[in-house]
Amino acid sequence: MAAQYDRIAEPYRRTQSSPLRQWVEVPSLFSRLGDIFGCRVLELACGDGFYSRQLAAAGATVLAVDISPAMIELARAAERDDPHGVEYHCADVACLPDFGQFDLVVATYLLHYAPDRTQLAAMCANIARSLLPDGSFIALNENPAQPAEPGGAYARYGFSKSVEEPVQDGACITYQMLAGRELFSFSAHYYSAATYEQVLRDAGFRTIAWAPLHVDSVGEATLGAEYFSAYLANPPVLLLECRL
């Protein structure tokens, strides 16, 4: 996984200005997080620090981790240019160092990169270990009910999604995405909702809930509800909230 994100670090960074990121992902995640002022937050799969900086701006103390050295370098460069007090580390969540315990663990696009159930279980166990007894884990994650793109529905958003057959745990999901005029691709893995939930329970999480994303009112006013309709009707990702 590190190698694929080292290769696409810069074009992936440029997708942060997309309407889906700005008016769907960000407001959906932060509405689920609520007030995090004063919280100690561990962000996993932080990439170039896009969410890390926003978590810090909301008043959290943030330690952020990514497996890709290229992504971490981009994050550290942004921190040098505009300090938010975020501490960045390069590490694999499946063998996560002990950074202590946190009020909240946030992961945007992490669990579905596990290549097999063993690695998925290791990730979930390390997330649970990193939480305080009343802590919670909130993620943006692949939608288990919608593994493939329905009929080119995402073309207007500048990406496509396909999944290898048969659709079963560990099947490869491939995304192709545009950043300006540059086309790049990356892969993830499919797991059923039942698999995710069992692995999370085995890690010690007692409550597990999936939730849809929503459009911010500013985005709807700017581009219109119809623009977002295909994405929301067949969402490729969902919010996942788990509590110990």
Side-chain angles (χ1 to χ4, degrees), residues 176-199:
Q176 289 191 312
M177 192 169 290
L178 279 171
R181 295 183 177 181
E182 183 176 358
L183 180 67
F184 64 97
S185 63
F186 56 94
S187 61
H189 295 276
Y190 170 82
Y191 294 97
S192 69
T195 295
Y196 278 121
E197 291 167 17
Q198 186 59 60
V199 169

Side-chain angles (χ1 to χ4, degrees), residues 66-90:
D66 199 274
I67 196 172
S68 165
M71 285 292 194
I72 287 294
E73 181 49 42
L74 287 175
R76 288 173 174 163
E79 178 68 17
R80 289 191 294 270
D81 291 342
D82 184 15
H84 283 69
V86 180
E87 182 180 338
Y88 292 102
H89 294 267
C90 189

Side-chain angles (χ1 to χ4, degrees), residues 112-242:
H112 48 249
Y113 287 112
D116 54 47
R117 184 167 177 152
T118 299
Q119 293 288 298
L120 179 63
M123 287 182 178
C124 293
N126 287 332
I127 291 166
R129 170 177 59 81
S130 300
L131 283 168
L132 290 165
D134 59 347
S136 60
F137 167 50
I138 297 179
L140 281 169
N141 196 78
E142 279 289 327
N143 177 2
Q146 191 275 308
E149 176 184 4
Y154 307 138
R156 69 165 63 179
Y157 311 118
F159 74 94
S160 66
K161 176 183 178 181
S162 61
V163 62
E164 70 177 351
E165 299 287 346
V167 179
Q168 59 187 9
D169 283 354
C172 183
I173 296 171
T174 300
Y175 280 91
Q176 289 191 312
M177 192 169 290
L178 279 171
R181 295 183 177 181
E182 183 176 358
L183 180 67
F184 64 97
S185 63
F186 56 94
S187 61
H189 295 276
Y190 170 82
Y191 294 97
S192 69
T195 295
Y196 278 121
E197 291 167 17
Q198 186 59 60
V199 169
L200 286 161
R201 288 193 186 94
D202 290 345
F205 290 99
R206 293 184 295 173
T207 62
I208 301 163
W210 301 87
L213 279 61
H214 67 269
V215 182
D216 180 79
S217 59
V218 176
E220 198 167 278
T222 303
L223 294 178
E226 194 278 331
Y227 175 83
F228 299 98
S229 60
Y231 184 88
L232 296 178
N234 297 284
V237 297
L238 295 174
L239 285 161
L240 173 63
E241 183 173 1
C242 311

